[in-house]
Amino acid sequence: MAKKLDFWCSYGSTYTYLTVMRIEDIAAAEGIEVGWKPFHLPPIYKRMGWIGLPFVQFPEKARYMWSDLVRRAKVRGLPYHKPSVYPVDNLLTTKVALVAAAEGWCPEFSRRVFHGNFVDGRVIGEADNLQNDLRSLGKNPGEIIRMAESRETELQLNERTDEAVKLGIFGAPFFVVGEEPFWGDDRLEDAVDWCLTHE
Amino acid sequence: MAKKLDFWCSYGSTYTYLTVMRIEDIAAAEGIEVGWKPFHLPPIYKRMGWIGLPFVQFPEKARYMWSDLVRRAKVRGLPYHKPSVYPVDNLLTTKVALVAAAEGWCPEFSRRVFHGNFVDGRVIGEADNLQNDLRSLGKNPGEIIRMAESRETELQLNERTDEAVKLGIFGAPFFVVGEEPFWGDDRLEDAVDWCLTHE
């Protein structure tokens, strides 16, 4: 049985950029299968009684995050231009990612979304961007967005939220190996190591 | 001029254990001088309008922290026994650390405090532990604690709080190189690298 690492991927999370661009290569090199789990953080924060998005509620943390992120992008060898808009409305993008995950093209979709945000200066959640991303992947934007906006996808997203809360997930990127939780791009190596030694 | 890295050290922070035990060796190997900055987080949280200690306010984060901490101790090659009490009353310990920093024995004092907490199962903030730690360092506990409880040390601690808020410090361990902020034991290497390449 293939070793498996679940990657809880949020399209509203800046740090998730660092992981999206490297996780498939790292996992493939170790023979690990990545389970892409697109999810939406705001309902989780609400369920946990948090007042708002951490980086909106705590401006000190947001200031720090931008200092740290530019350094971490450099450590990861990734291009970095500070996104002009934060936070972003990523609900529809997340729903499209759920469709993508079901059809097996979530990794390339996610890389395109974050490359757009951190390299091309495009804002996550703007309709044109989403449609262009889908078109460039050879998809029919109208069809995919219709699926993303369906009742079925909404129910799937709600189930994903329930699952996240049950697993104790409160941020992104987040990894789960078996039941072991790992939070943050800087824990990807720990998660891979756990996968190789415990599963 | 020696390269300098300020280490904001909190005796109420579990992750600070990981840093306290290794920072002096790492800095010495790179010719970097460590400025030990003992500080107290609760008044900073209060000033920023946070409701309480993050790990008390957010039980999901606390649960995760304990999972992560035991793994990170292993990564750092450090012994680990989960402290029986959290959070701890670390105000007097912090004040003693201010005296220790002024006299130049803060590194060994801090290692002793955290070794007691994570290896010997002693609770930070209990009077006996503090006195034993001081005695084992060849200090006169009565004299040091009198200095720690002085008005002068209190003022120094208040100034330290002001300085932390001004620098945007909101957690521990925290490092500052010049004006560049680094949060978390997992950013010590980034801080050292910044010190070597920017200062």
Side-chain angles (χ1 to χ4, degrees):
Chain A
M1 212 178 80
K3 290 176 179 292
K4 179 95 185 290
L5 185 161
D6 281 339
F7 167 33
W8 289 75
C9 177
S10 157
Y11 301 85
S13 152
T14 51
Y15 281 110
T16 295
Y17 168 52
L18 307 179
T19 300
V20 157
M21 305 313 271
R22 68 194 192 103
I23 190 168
E24 284 288 334
D25 287 347
I26 288 174
E30 302 290 354
I32 294 170
E33 183 194 333
V34 179
W36 286 69
K37 299 269 201 175
F39 77 124
H40 201 221
L41 273 164
I44 294 172
Y45 292 144
K46 203 172 170 187
R47 289 259 285 272
M48 297 194 303
W50 294 25
I51 296 163
L53 294 179
F55 290 136
V56 176
Q57 188 184 358
F58 305 127
E60 301 82 3
K61 281 198 157 183
R63 268 196 297 278
Y64 173 75
M65 178 268 284
W66 295 115
S67 303
D68 188 50
L69 195 63
V70 63
R71 296 188 310 243
R72 297 311 289 180
K74 201 172 173 189
V75 168
R76 300 293 179 224
L78 290 171
Y80 176 89
H81 299 279
K82 187 179 171 180
S84 57
V85 174
Y86 183 88
V88 293
D89 175 6
N90 62 102
L91 180 59
L92 183 56
T93 305
T94 305
K95 288 179 170 180
V96 167
L98 283 170
V99 174
E103 296 189 351
W105 45 276
C106 194
E108 44 276 46
F109 171 70
S110 303
R111 286 193 295 267
R112 206 161 281 260
V113 168
F114 281 102
H115 187 278
N117 195 223
F118 281 92
V119 183
D120 303 329
R122 293 192 281 115
V123 177
I124 289 176
E126 287 186 356
D128 278 2
N129 293 336
L130 198 51
Q131 287 176 12
N132 287 337
D133 285 342
L134 289 170
R135 210 169 285 119
S136 74
L137 291 167
K139 309 294 169 189
N140 178 329
E143 186 190 333
I144 299 294
I145 289 174
R146 192 165 33 78
M147 289 168 72
E149 288 176 334
S150 71
R151 178 80 184 134
E152 189 187 337
T153 302
E154 194 179 351
L155 289 175
Q156 203 189 336
L157 185 58
N158 292 346
E159 280 167 24
R160 188 56 55 83
T161 301
D162 292 342
E163 192 186 350
V165 170
K166 203 171 147 192
L167 288 166
I169 293 173
F170 52 81
F174 210 103
F175 314 103
V176 181
V177 181
E179 295 189 341
E180 192 72 8
F182 300 84
W183 178 38
D185 176 72
D186 48 21
R187 294 298 186 273
L188 176 56
E189 280 71 18
D190 286 7
V192 165
D193 186 58
W194 189 274
C195 202
L196 297 175
T197 55
H198 289 76
E199 289 299 296
Chain B
M1 213 180 80
K3 289 176 180 293
K4 180 93 184 290
L5 184 160
D6 282 338
F7 167 32
W8 289 74
C9 177
S10 157
Y11 301 87
S13 152
T14 51
Y15 281 109
T16 295
Y17 167 52
L18 306 179
T19 301
V20 157
M21 307 311 273
R22 68 194 193 103
I23 190 168
E24 283 288 333
D25 287 347
I26 288 173
E30 303 290 353
I32 294 170
E33 184 194 334
V34 179
W36 286 69
K37 299 269 200 174
F39 78 124
H40 201 220
L41 273 164
I44 294 171
Y45 291 143
K46 204 173 167 184
R47 289 259 285 272
M48 294 194 303
W50 295 24
I51 295 163
L53 294 177
F55 290 137
V56 176
Q57 190 186 355
F58 305 127
E60 299 82 3
K61 280 198 157 181
R63 267 196 299 278
Y64 173 74
M65 178 267 284
W66 295 114
S67 303
D68 187 50
L69 195 63
V70 63
R71 295 188 310 243
R72 297 310 289 178
K74 201 171 172 189
V75 168
R76 301 295 179 221
L78 290 171
Y80 176 90
H81 300 280
K82 186 179 170 179
S84 57
V85 175
Y86 183 87
V88 295
D89 174 7
N90 63 100
L91 180 59
L92 184 56
T93 304
T94 306
K95 287 179 169 180
V96 168
L98 283 169
V99 174
E103 295 189 351
W105 46 275
C106 194
E108 44 274 47
F109 171 70
S110 303
R111 287 193 294 266
R112 206 160 281 259
V113 168
F114 280 102
H115 187 277
N117 195 224
F118 280 92
V119 183
D120 303 331
R122 293 192 281 112
V123 177
I124 288 175
E126 287 186 356
D128 278 3
N129 293 338
L130 197 52
Q131 288 175 13
N132 287 337
D133 284 343
L134 290 169
R135 211 169 284 119
S136 74
L137 291 167
K139 308 294 170 191
N140 180 329
E143 187 190 330
I144 298 294
I145 289 174
R146 192 165 35 75
M147 290 168 73
E149 289 176 333
S150 70
R151 178 80 184 134
E152 189 187 338
T153 303
E154 194 178 349
L155 290 175
Q156 203 188 334
L157 185 58
N158 292 346
E159 281 167 23
R160 187 58 53 85
T161 300
D162 293 342
E163 193 185 350
V165 170
K166 203 171 146 193
L167 287 166
I169 292 173
F170 52 81
F174 211 104
F175 314 103
V176 181
V177 181
E179 295 189 340
E180 190 73 7
F182 300 85
W183 177 38
D185 176 72
D186 47 20
R187 294 297 187 272
L188 176 55
E189 280 70 18
D190 286 6
V192 165
D193 184 58
W194 190 275
C195 202
L196 296 176
T197 53
H198 289 77
E199 289 299 297

